[in-house]
Amino acid sequence: MNTIICGLQWGDEGKGKIVDYLTETADVVARGQGGNNAGHTVIANDTKYILHLIPSGILWEGKSCIIGNGVVMDPVGLCKEISNLEEAGIPVDENKLLISDRAHVVLPYHRELDAAREAALGKNKIGTTKRGIGPTYADKANRIGLRLADMLDEATARELIEIRLNEANSTLEKHDLPTFTVDQVWQEVSPAIERLRPHITNVIPALHSAWKAGKTILFEGAQGSFLDVDFGTYPFVTSSNTTSGGACTGSGLPPTAIERVVGVCKAYTTRVGSGPFITENDDISAYFHARGMEFGATTGRPRRCGWLDMVLIRYACMVNGVTDLAVTILDGLDERESIKVCVAYDIDGERHDFPPANRAAWDRAQPVYEEFPGWQSDTTSARSWDELPDNARAYLTRLGKLAGAPVSYIGNGPEREQTIVV
Ligand code: IMP
């Protein structure tokens, strides 16, 4: 069944683990958006892997992985990721990893432009991962970006880089940031391009022949629905469509090929970077950080933590067309005496079931909570719904009702086996 997996919060929902679990029955695993701002942590055979650009299907034998046109590709970062995998004994050859020749390339000046933009925003900064993601997508929309196909020909690449640098350097100069020459850029990225050359291709025929042959294609979403440039907490978002539609525009597989959308959320909420977070709670943040949990996989930043916000999940289920919910890190709440869930926002005395678009309304929104008794027992060894404590089952059942989608998967620990199928 062709499936899109997407995050329903602000990223870091534990999608990597659900992707890894569903990959067992998939033939092709694809990415359609984001870049190495993402960090997917997967534990397989007692080894922890953090993947940024490569779909986690790479950890399996006999699966092909596709990086689609909608991804922004840092060639040097990708090569590092490939080397790490190869050092761990996981081969990455051109049959196993195909990269779209239409994917836009993150170049060194994009990272500096990202820093320049953040500095200019001052206290209103987005809190980006500084991976150059926003400027690369901006160049794509502005029609001044370079695609991998352009990078395969040195003369074309140098010419396009030179045109772009004329403007980029003057912006960087204004911010006292390093400027670049074409040679510098080319020397930094060309060895990586050479390493990647055999993987770079038109991925459409491969994707479509897999579809037509009845193979199973799995899309691994990066980030979460509220970082979506259209549906998220704009402007505190990333620059791609992280919701399910992005998988189609970012790969070339049409919506008619998609049969299932699995929406992943944590049993609570986290966010890294700036922006509204109605259920944020210092006590919950301190609780997770004291346990060494909830530090960013890409930047190591402590994540902001809070109660589950069903106003977000309800909306994300609608936008993504979620057919199945996956609730992760249920065990994170094992010790809590009581658990709150936000079911609506109160904005100026009015109840709202959906998130506002208005920036000022976010500042005034107050959470309306339902409170549940905790289960205060270890759920990590449960292997079925029936083995979960009654209070955990009640919590999950209510969650599914509020979301309008059934809870089909529950994550209760980092290992592959700690996934309960309902
Ligand atoms: P950018 O994607 O680096 O431009 O960052 C924009 C916003 O998205 C910032 O708030 C980042 O912290 C957030 N962000 C980007 N990628 C991820 C992710 O994979 N997990 C969580 N937050 C992310």
Side-chain angles (χ1 to χ4, degrees), residues 73 86 88 150 159 297 362 382 403:
M73 268 274 322
E86 289 183 333
D150 301 318
E159 190 185 329
W362 277 107

Side-chain angles (χ1 to χ4, degrees), residues 200-387:
I200 300 170
T201 181
N202 176 7
V203 302
I204 302 297
L207 260 181
H208 279 245
S209 60
W211 174 30
K212 295 299 171 194
K215 294 194 171 166
T216 297
I217 302 166
L218 186 67
F219 281 94
E220 174 176 334
Q223 291 88 40
S225 299
F226 291 92
L227 291 173
D228 185 287
V229 68
D230 286 284
F231 298 106
T233 44
Y234 192 88
F236 299 102
V237 294
T238 189
S239 302
S240 64
N241 281 116
T242 60
T243 46
S244 56
C248 295
T249 52
S251 70
L253 197 72
T256 44
I258 307 300
E259 297 159 286
R260 176 170 65 162
V261 179
V262 178
V264 186
C265 64
K266 277 180 182 155
Y268 47 96
T269 312
T270 63
R271 168 163 211 172
V272 281
S274 327
F277 183 172
I278 302 307
T279 61
E280 185 169 17
N281 180 302
D282 291 344
D283 166 47
I284 305 289
S285 294
Y287 169 83
F288 285 115
H289 297 153
R291 282 160 182 75
M293 293 168 71
E294 301 305 351
F295 292 90
T298 299
T299 57
R301 290 180 287 179
R303 295 178 184 139
R304 301 157 64 192
C305 305
W307 297 116
L308 188 62
D309 184 343
M310 291 308 295
V311 176
L312 302 183
I313 307 287
R314 182 185 292 133
Y315 186 66
C317 283
M318 293 165 83
V319 170
N320 289 294
V322 169
T323 57
D324 298 85
L325 268 180
V327 181
T328 59
I329 327 189
L330 181 72
D331 54 303
L333 297 177
D334 281 355
E335 291 170 44
R336 303 300 302 193
E337 204 178 315
S338 88
I339 296 164
K340 287 185 183 174
V341 172
C342 171
V343 294
Y345 295 162
D346 180 316
I347 304 175
D348 304 329
E350 232 178 72
R351 185 184 166 105
H352 290 254
D353 292 328
F354 299 105
N358 183 302
R359 298 176 196 203
W362 277 107
D363 294 336
R364 300 198 305 277
Q366 295 297 323
V368 178
Y369 283 120
E370 276 183 13
E371 196 153 355
F372 295 78
W375 42 93
Q376 293 193 282
S377 57
D378 180 8
T379 57
T380 56
S381 53
R383 293 292 175 268
S384 69
W385 175 256
D386 292 339
E387 289 176 43

Side-chain angles (χ1 to χ4, degrees), residues 10-12 37-39 114 126-131 133-134 223 227 237-238 271-274 301:
W10 282 291
D12 309 318
N37 47 350
D114 199 345
I126 309 293
T128 73
T129 58
K130 304 231 174 82
R131 298 292 191 275
I133 306 299
Q223 291 88 40
L227 291 173
V237 294
T238 189
R271 168 163 211 172
V272 281
S274 327
R301 290 180 287 179

Side-chain angles (χ1 to χ4, degrees), residues 10-58:
W10 282 291
D12 309 318
E13 294 93 349
K15 294 179 293 294
K17 186 177 170 222
I18 300 295
V19 172
D20 189 52
Y21 179 78
L22 293 178
T23 299
E24 189 158 9
T25 50
D27 302 294
V28 177
V29 187
R31 275 270 304 265
Q33 46 72 226
N36 61 355
N37 47 350
H40 291 166
T41 309
V42 182
I43 297 185
N45 301 326
D46 295 329
T47 308
K48 183 172 169 179
Y49 300 92
I50 298 181
L51 300 166
H52 298 282
L53 273 163
I54 304 182
S56 38
I58 205 78

Side-chain angles (χ1 to χ4, degrees), residues 31-35 67-73 100 102-104 137 140 239-241 246-247 249-252:
R31 275 270 304 265
Q33 46 72 226
I67 298 181
N69 56 283
V71 172
V72 289
M73 268 274 322
S100 170
R102 288 164 172 77
H104 277 251
Y137 277 117
K140 173 177 174 174
S239 302
S240 64
N241 281 116
T249 52
S251 70

